[in-house]
Amino acid sequence: MFELDKWQEIYSTVKKNKLRTFLTGFSVAWGIFMLIILLGSGNGLENGVRENFRGGAINGVWISSGLTNMTYKGMKVGRQIRFTNEDYKALKQTVPGYDRISARLFMGNILTSYKNNYGTFFLSPCHPDYGIIKELTVIQGRFLNNIDIVDFRKVAVIGEKVKDALFKAPDTVAMGKYVNINGVLFQVVGVFRDFSRNDHEQQRIYIPISTAQRVFSGNTVINQISFTTGNATQLEADAMVRIARTTLSTKHMVDPADSRAIEIWNKSEDVRRFNALFAGIRLFIWIIGIGTIIAGVVGVSNIMMISVNERTKEIGIRKALGATPASIVFLIVQESIVITAFAGYIGLVLGIGLLELVSKNLPPSEFFRNPEASLAIATGATILLIIAGTIAGLIPGSKAARIKPIEALKDE
Amino acid sequence: MIRIRNIHKSYTTGQNSLHVLKGIDLNVEQGDMISVMGASGSGKSTLLNILGILDTYDQGEYLLNGLKINKLSEKKAAQLRNKMLGFVFQSFNLISFKNAMENVAMPLYYQNVKRKKRNLIAMEYLDRMGIRDWAHHLPSELSGGQKQRVAIARAMITNPKVILADEPTGALDSVTSLEVMDQLQEINKEGITMIIVTHEHDIAARTRKTIRITDGMITDIVNN
């Protein structure tokens, strides 16, 4: 089907009309170029925003307390709400179907030392489930466990950056060593890595919350409770959040509508909103991109139409010599596909090239990182081009097939 | 070889109907060489188009080599033209961006003959027409006589039953005209039936039989 002859045929017509072919090809190349740039930028935007969601399960629910903002049952606004272990237990009992749950204390930046190395690191006592809720990767040893909590063990899981700061050469082994946290010795049982975007989340130390309450705070106050919703559907997850709010607001005599007193961040809701937004953006980009390509395709079709008009006589001769209508359609369609695909491919390569260039040289920001056109996009664009080329060739092709040899061959 | 009975053909333009052929009967035997003469508008070109399966007829019967030619699909018509017929035109009708050899080889392309093979065959026919040395020239680089020889080679390459020539010498000077006619006569001697439309008497005189058409009817058949 694609023998040398057909290529020569196309080559000879293209050679005859260099400028015309170039201009047509350019419009297609431009269309694809724009589509790739738009899609790549869309991906860059998406990657940038998605990066903010890293470090923490996407089905996590985070609850913290604050000052009341609404009067309730005769109590004035501005009341400080504080969670305690009781709230943690209450949620464990009332929230149906949660997967993991942990309370957390915020101890702030605490002076920590090992031998002569000092640093201040954010100390964050928590339950063992927190490692999963926060999606920490333990690279040495283990995370906290239940026995640590029950036995009030003085153990610590430190961030990779903490380890680097405290355990300098030649004494780089942290596991099993005792670090001095605010005057109390804790044994290092694990080192973790946090893939969050924020550097300071690497500089944390996690210890059992029970130990921290006994050694440091001396009470049962906690600052945050977080849980994951497991495989719950959107509706079930929303129900869990609602029940958690009801439980806490009843216990603390807070208006259930007071979202300042009991602040709940349902991450899956944000993820959902974000996904919907980017689905919208992607659709928008495809519409614009395809619109641009259609403009190019109409250009190709137009040029092929002119070409068919100019080649009326040639087509008449071919038909007189035995060309079937199908072979004439194929001749025109193939030429159209070749022009479209070739020009489009150039646009594709240039577009991806520019994205690579930007990706390499532009520092990733909060809103934009790694603009990329995936293989799927490139494949999709290629298929689109071939379809577009076929469509662009079909109308002129069928017009060519309808040419009557006797009219085409009339001597002027 | 060609047998037509009572062929009628009208062209309708708007409300006017133009009755071009008004009942043509004609027998052409295999190996015959006939000329068709007539004033312009007499219907001789229309007759040639019908014989060449380039046009349809309204009424009558046309048998080409025993095959009934009527209401064929475009595809079938194209295949028949390719296998059975060769065309020679007044204005040569060569494809301008293809060289002489490629032009000659074109009918074989539509028989799916491989490129190398058909170019080889094309060279043989160009050789027979005495223009082998011009095989790689574009039509624009050839003289009128050379162009018509290329066209004749193209008409012959499929080894057709019938060659239809529409004013083959119309664009040539008298010396070249005679040379081209010599070659057509040579081809005819090999048994290929030849029908030549012309308005030149000395050309017609070199065929075996001359048919005169006036107002869509055969008015005279002369054996030369």
Side-chain angles (χ1 to χ4, degrees):
Chain A
M1 199 154 89
F2 289 91
E3 45 179 319
L4 187 63
D5 278 302
K6 301 224 161 110
W7 294 108
Q8 280 193 327
E9 209 95 301
I10 292 164
Y11 176 70
S12 54
T13 41
V14 165
K15 203 172 68 174
K16 249 187 9 183
N17 305 297
K18 277 188 213 111
L19 182 66
R20 202 174 70 186
T21 310
F22 169 76
L23 289 174
T24 320
F26 182 79
S27 66
V28 173
W30 182 250
I32 284 289
F33 179 77
M34 290 305 290
L35 178 68
I36 293 295
I37 294 295
L38 282 170
L39 284 171
S41 310
N43 277 345
L45 201 62
E46 192 171 340
N47 289 342
V49 178
R50 206 179 277 284
E51 195 65 17
N52 293 336
F53 280 101
R54 287 184 68 165
I58 58 161
N59 59 351
V61 176
W62 304 73
I63 308 169
S64 51
S65 58
L67 300 175
T68 56
N69 197 38
M70 296 163 90
T71 54
Y72 189 68
K73 290 192 173 166
M75 285 177 286
K76 61 185 168 87
V77 298
R79 210 154 37 95
Q80 174 71 52
I81 302 300
R82 276 185 215 286
F83 294 154
T84 64
N85 290 351
E86 292 308 308
D87 295 298
Y88 166 74
K89 282 178 196 152
L91 287 186
K92 271 180 101 166
Q93 279 159 13
T94 55
V95 175
Y98 71 85
D99 186 29
R100 303 282 174 161
I101 189 164
S102 168
R104 244 174 106 210
L105 257 176
F106 297 158
M107 308 265 317
N109 290 318
I110 301 289
L111 185 68
T112 307
S113 64
Y114 174 72
K115 290 184 180 168
N116 288 327
N117 297 325
Y118 292 83
T120 55
F121 305 106
F122 193 85
L123 185 62
S124 186
C126 61
H127 285 101
D129 279 0
Y130 191 74
I132 288 161
I133 298 170
K134 186 71 171 64
E135 287 187 332
L136 301 175
T137 307
V138 176
I139 54 173
Q140 277 173 34
R142 61 173 177 85
F143 198 68
L144 304 174
N145 62 27
N146 268 325
I147 303 167
D148 298 334
I149 300 284
V150 175
D151 291 353
F152 304 95
R153 280 185 181 163
K154 293 197 189 73
V155 293
V157 180
I158 61 176
E160 205 178 6
K161 293 243 164 91
V162 177
K163 175 190 169 261
D164 291 345
L166 293 182
F167 298 89
K168 288 179 181 147
D171 197 4
T172 56
V173 178
M175 293 293 295
K177 301 285 170 56
Y178 288 86
V179 290
N180 184 331
I181 301 173
N182 209 13
V184 181
L185 291 177
F186 282 77
Q187 189 177 23
V188 176
V189 293
V191 179
F192 72 87
R193 188 177 287 161
D194 189 329
F195 288 99
S196 298
R197 201 169 43 82
N198 293 330
D199 200 43
H200 61 78
E201 298 193 5
Q202 310 273 1
Q203 305 188 21
R204 281 190 183 172
I205 297 173
Y206 292 108
I207 59 174
I209 191 164
S210 56
T211 314
Q213 283 175 337
R214 175 176 281 189
V215 174
F216 295 122
S217 63
N219 58 32
T220 60
V221 168
I222 54 180
N223 298 100
Q224 187 188 54
I225 305 169
S226 49
F227 65 86
T228 57
T229 58
N231 294 323
T233 62
Q234 186 180 333
L235 276 173
E236 288 166 347
D238 288 348
M240 285 186 214
V241 170
R242 216 162 37 241
I243 290 166
R245 180 176 289 286
T246 312
T247 304
L248 293 173
S249 50
T250 310
K251 276 185 65 109
H252 291 275
M253 307 250 276
V254 172
D255 191 319
D258 194 340
S259 59
R260 292 265 187 97
I262 294 165
E263 224 175 290
I264 301 185
W265 179 46
N266 183 355
K267 186 168 171 177
S268 67
E269 210 168 272
D270 274 18
V271 171
R272 214 149 59 213
R273 215 172 290 144
F274 163 82
N275 284 343
L277 172 70
F278 278 94
I281 289 178
R282 221 171 298 135
L283 180 73
F284 177 70
I285 286 172
W286 273 104
I287 289 173
I288 292 182
I290 288 177
T292 320
I293 291 172
I294 286 175
V297 165
V298 169
V300 173
S301 197
N302 200 11
I303 292 295
M304 295 305 295
M305 202 63 122
I306 297 171
S307 163
V308 164
N309 279 340
E310 280 178 4
R311 292 167 72 185
T312 300
K313 188 148 194 150
E314 177 205 329
I315 290 161
I317 296 169
R318 285 173 183 275
K319 290 187 95 176
L321 297 180
T324 57
S327 77
I328 297 291
V329 173
F330 195 77
L331 180 78
I332 304 294
V333 168
Q334 200 193 3
E335 185 177 328
S336 161
I337 291 176
V338 168
I339 294 178
T340 314
F342 184 72
Y345 190 73
I346 290 175
L348 189 75
V349 168
L350 288 180
I352 289 175
L354 183 65
L355 285 180
E356 284 293 310
L357 211 67
V358 169
S359 196
K360 284 229 171 65
N361 296 314
L362 193 80
S365 76
E366 203 163 324
F367 306 107
F368 198 81
R369 65 189 297 136
N370 297 333
E372 57 185 2
S374 61
L375 190 69
I377 290 177
T379 317
T382 310
I383 293 170
L384 189 75
L385 279 173
I386 291 173
I387 294 171
T390 311
I391 294 170
L394 270 178
I395 299 169
S398 61
K399 189 182 179 230
R402 283 198 304 273
I403 288 173
K404 295 226 179 309
I406 46 167
E407 274 153 44
L409 298 179
K410 257 182 204 153
D411 294 319
E412 278 99 47
Chain B
M1 177 56 52
I2 287 175
R3 198 167 290 274
I4 58 177
R5 288 283 162 270
N6 194 29
I7 290 281
H8 283 265
K9 175 75 179 174
S10 304
Y11 287 112
T12 312
T13 43
Q15 301 218 319
N16 304 323
S17 180
L18 191 63
H19 202 174
V20 184
L21 296 181
K22 302 167 181 166
I24 301 271
D25 294 287
L26 183 66
N27 282 338
V28 184
E29 299 307 325
Q30 177 159 13
D32 221 348
M33 183 172 192
I34 67 166
S35 52
V36 180
M37 292 195 78
S40 66
S42 62
K44 59 183 197 299
S45 288
T46 304
L47 178 62
L48 199 73
N49 286 337
I50 290 173
L51 293 177
I53 330 181
L54 293 168
D55 206 348
T56 55
Y57 54 92
D58 303 331
Q59 218 189 89
E61 192 183 54
Y62 171 21
L63 291 174
L64 172 63
N65 200 23
L67 200 75
K68 202 166 169 183
I69 306 297
N70 191 20
K71 295 199 172 78
L72 298 173
S73 70
E74 274 213 55
K75 186 180 172 189
K76 187 80 192 134
Q79 286 166 349
L80 273 179
R81 280 198 296 271
N82 184 264
K83 271 196 225 129
M84 310 273 283
L85 304 170
F87 292 92
V88 177
F89 304 93
Q90 176 176 8
S91 53
F92 323 120
N93 283 337
L94 300 175
I95 292 174
S96 59
F97 55 85
K98 290 182 175 292
N99 68 30
M101 178 185 71
E102 289 164 339
N103 263 291
V104 173
M106 179 76 73
L108 293 182
Y109 171 69
Y110 289 110
Q111 288 183 6
N112 296 319
V113 176
K114 287 266 167 285
R115 181 181 176 76
K116 265 195 182 144
K117 191 175 172 199
R118 61 171 199 266
N119 283 345
L120 212 68
I121 300 171
M123 288 305 283
E124 272 173 43
Y125 278 90
L126 286 171
D127 197 27
R128 279 180 60 178
M129 299 307 293
I131 45 171
R132 191 190 183 93
D133 294 345
W134 302 89
H136 298 287
H137 287 244
L138 291 176
S140 56
E141 297 159 347
L142 301 175
S143 72
Q146 287 166 334
K147 280 189 219 175
Q148 200 58 303
R149 286 189 181 93
V150 173
I152 292 169
R154 182 180 66 185
M156 285 168 60
I157 197 166
T158 57
N159 201 15
K161 301 276 184 230
V162 182
I163 286 183
L164 300 165
D166 190 2
E167 307 268 11
T169 59
L172 306 175
D173 63 57
S174 53
V175 180
T176 318
S177 292
L178 292 179
E179 284 169 10
V180 166
M181 277 313 288
D182 285 341
Q183 270 167 331
L184 289 178
Q185 277 177 314
E186 279 299 309
I187 293 160
N188 174 244
K189 275 181 196 149
E190 292 167 24
I192 297 178
T193 313
M194 198 156 300
I195 299 173
I196 299 170
V197 168
T198 184
H199 61 266
E200 291 170 66
H201 287 281
D202 47 345
I203 297 298
R206 300 186 65 159
T207 62
R208 250 171 257 153
K209 209 190 282 179
T210 301
I211 290 161
R212 182 169 291 280
I213 294 185
T214 317
D215 278 342
M217 285 189 286
I218 295 178
T219 49
D220 199 9
I221 299 180
V222 182
N223 287 309
N224 297 315

